[in-house]
Amino acid sequence: MKYKIKHSTTYSYADFVSLCQNQARLTPKTNRAQICHSSRIDIEPPANYLQEFTDYFDNKVTAFEIATQHKKLKVTMTSEVELLLSANINLVDTDMPWQEARDIVAKANTYQLLKTSEFILPSQYTPFVQGIKEYALTSFLADISLICGCKDLMARIFHEFQYDPGFTTISTPLSVVFAQKRGVCQDFAHFAIACLRSIGLAARYVSGYIETMPPEGEEKLAGADATHAWFSVFVPRFGWVDFDPTNNVMPNEQHITLAVGRDFSDVTPLKGVVFGGGTQLLDVAVDMIRLE
């Protein structure tokens, strides 16, 4: 299955910006589950400097600078991605008790495991808050497998937490999300990651896209698709496996991975600094179009 993705980010400023420097993580990854066949970035006004590089987490980054005065910045990434639906075909054969997976990563006796062990540690948005380990252990009983435990944790978050886009911002502490059991996809991903890390499992944050379907009988609106977030757990001898607690599914046909990291701070789609501008308005529009 192939998709064409158009992701547009527009900043409108009250006053002129004299200089801006940005990093964009908007190029979909190529991995076991998907292939990014092409990507093109368009920047208005045109960048005076542009360079691409791969960051520490193997995400493709486009760095650019605009030294021309402007009151509006528009960054549009257009990509074509193919999903490989057989990516998890051997997952059942590699599942194991969750304690065994924890112990393998803790020993870190290979380069891959050493890199993976970094995802056991708390991070800026995934601190170990009071009660989170106890919450995690309700899903990870002594005799449960790693995948079954993650599925149970995912389902509990889906059923026990309320999706509320007006309740949190990126600065809302995880302790508040946990106490009120409300938030959005990035809150649920951060919470699940903190749960997994609290019991010694390696978990990472995934940013990407999810296709949205219009109500029956209605046409899909332009820009109506959304950026999304979920989490991955490391399964020894297999690799990273994704779980989406916002929708209680293991991503497959409608999820496209953009970037991965310890938490949102590592994968922000567009971030940077501006000189001037005053107040600003942000508009983001995403279109996912099935090509076949």
Side-chain angles (χ1 to χ4, degrees), residues 163-181:
Y163 186 86
D164 185 350
F167 180 69
T168 60
T169 67
I170 188 57
S171 61
T172 302
L174 191 64
S175 58
V176 174
V177 175
F178 185 19
Q180 299 298 320
K181 291 184 170 55

Side-chain angles (χ1 to χ4, degrees), residues 141-184:
L141 303 175
D143 58 348
I144 201 167
S145 75
L146 176 58
I147 299 302
C148 288
C150 288
K151 286 182 177 179
D152 186 76
L153 176 65
M154 173 177 70
R156 288 172 59 213
I157 294 172
F158 175 77
H159 291 293
E160 296 175 11
F161 286 64
Q162 180 179 344
Y163 186 86
D164 185 350
F167 180 69
T168 60
T169 67
I170 188 57
S171 61
T172 302
L174 191 64
S175 58
V176 174
V177 175
F178 185 19
Q180 299 298 320
K181 291 184 170 55
R182 302 164 76 92
V184 293

